[in-house]
Amino acid sequence: SLYSAPPLCAAPTVTVDRARLSAALPAAPEDARYDKASGQVVEGHPGVSVDVEALEAALGAVEPGQALRFQVAVREPELSAEALQAALFRDVLGACTTTVTGSAARVANVRLSAAAVDGVILNPGEVFDFNAVVGERTAEKGYGAAPAYVNGETVSDIGGGICQTSSTVYLAAVRSDLAITERVNHRYVSGYIPLGMDATVSWGGPEFCFENDTAYPVRLDAALEGDQLTVTLTGTKLDHSHVEVTYEILSTVPYATEYRETDALPVGKQQVQRTGVTGYTVQT
């Protein structure tokens, strides 16, 4: 008699859920990071490269109930939690000190804005936005009226004087070799900081922003002690380089004297309303 063998059973088709595999075994390693909410260093994870087609074939060939050992490629993160903790806020990247003068309201405005930026931490890739950090300057927050430049005139404005804080942070950031992403200079000379090294701000613009383009977290420390406003940026230096900022005066713009008649003074009398200041075009 003839024997007819049963048909061979085809191997089952196995499909791997690639999204779930990627979630369980991410392909790219992730370095340890600083968690600002907890103030702790969080360990990263390795990256795992899987040949999905080969895995599907191997799963299809294994007997039901058997365990499968499959070779994968593992890449360890470059920065461990231990290494990050040892390097965290280790070095002074740059600093700037300016002398604060003016009315009590102006000094108070500088102090309030300095307190707002004090302690801000930027992880790698994060941007410091002065207006976003300090917020709108209002009387409810304690800001007072002090001289400020508005449309080319010196006027009394709520929050006047905070540009000294933004300028001090700006020069500290430049000296820290961080990427300045947005900055506008004042229309007039700012006497509290070297020429060409200021940064004006106003609610609604102009803006002042810089990015932490280093591989480590950066912290801002700001304090007004006596009449000295000091901003220090600390992070992690990978070499012994430093930044020195200088300026060159390209040209000067002399001021003009403008006379305005007024009924507030006796005939023939004059009074200086605002002292003129020479303007400068500088290259930093």
Side-chain angles (χ1 to χ4, degrees):
S1 64
L2 297 176
Y3 174 76
S4 179
L8 296 175
C9 293
T13 300
V14 176
T15 302
V16 171
D17 187 329
R18 300 190 181 213
R20 291 179 62 189
L21 178 66
S22 179
L25 302 175
E30 183 176 294
D31 287 341
R33 60 183 176 84
Y34 179 79
D35 180 62
K36 294 191 289 186
S38 65
Q40 302 294 320
V41 171
V42 179
E43 187 65 87
H45 60 70
V48 181
S49 298
V50 181
D51 185 334
V52 178
E53 288 76 12
L55 176 59
E56 289 174 339
L59 287 170
V62 73
E63 293 292 333
Q66 285 187 338
L68 172 66
R69 296 178 64 87
F70 188 79
Q71 187 73 31
V72 297
V74 178
R75 291 171 54 206
E76 295 294 335
E78 295 182 3
L79 184 62
S80 68
E82 182 180 6
L84 176 57
Q85 187 67 58
L88 197 63
F89 309 128
R90 182 184 64 194
D91 308 306
V92 172
L93 303 181
C96 179
T97 298
T98 58
T99 300
V100 181
T101 60
S103 67
R106 184 184 187 279
V107 174
N109 293 341
V110 172
R111 189 183 305 278
L112 277 172
S113 54
V117 305
D118 181 48
V120 169
I121 293 175
L122 302 174
N123 275 318
E126 291 186 337
V127 172
F128 173 87
D129 182 324
F130 186 90
N131 277 333
V133 170
V134 175
E136 186 175 3
R137 280 66 79 179
T138 64
E140 290 74 19
K141 292 181 179 178
Y143 288 95
Y149 295 138
V150 177
N151 297 323
E153 295 289 337
T154 302
V155 300
S156 184
D157 191 40
I158 297 293
I162 67 159
C163 288
Q164 180 156 359
T165 305
S166 61
S167 296
T168 308
V169 175
Y170 166 67
L171 186 48
V174 172
R175 288 172 173 168
S176 300
D177 200 23
L178 298 174
I180 309 301
T181 57
E182 195 164 356
R183 172 255 176 179
V184 178
N185 60 280
H186 285 84
R187 181 173 180 177
Y188 301 119
V189 170
S190 301
Y192 49 77
I193 205 157
L195 294 175
M197 302 182 197
D198 60 301
T200 184
V201 291
S202 181
W203 186 250
E207 301 282 352
F208 161 53
C209 306
F210 69 89
E211 179 186 352
N212 175 13
D213 57 346
T214 76
Y216 293 86
V218 170
R219 186 184 69 229
L220 283 78
D221 296 302
L224 177 60
E225 297 181 358
D227 63 353
Q228 300 295 290
L229 172 64
T230 299
V231 174
T232 305
L233 276 68
T234 58
T236 306
K237 297 188 70 168
L238 301 180
D239 55 38
H240 297 291
S241 65
H242 71 282
V243 173
E244 181 179 350
V245 191
T246 60
Y247 69 87
E248 175 187 0
I249 297 176
L250 303 181
S251 64
T252 59
V253 183
Y255 65 85
T257 301
E258 179 183 349
Y259 294 93
R260 296 178 181 176
E261 291 188 358
T262 177
D263 294 331
L265 297 175
V267 175
K269 294 293 183 179
Q270 296 183 3
Q271 182 180 25
V272 177
Q273 185 179 28
R274 183 176 64 223
T275 302
V277 178
T278 299
Y280 297 89
T281 301
V282 303
Q283 177 175 292
T284 54

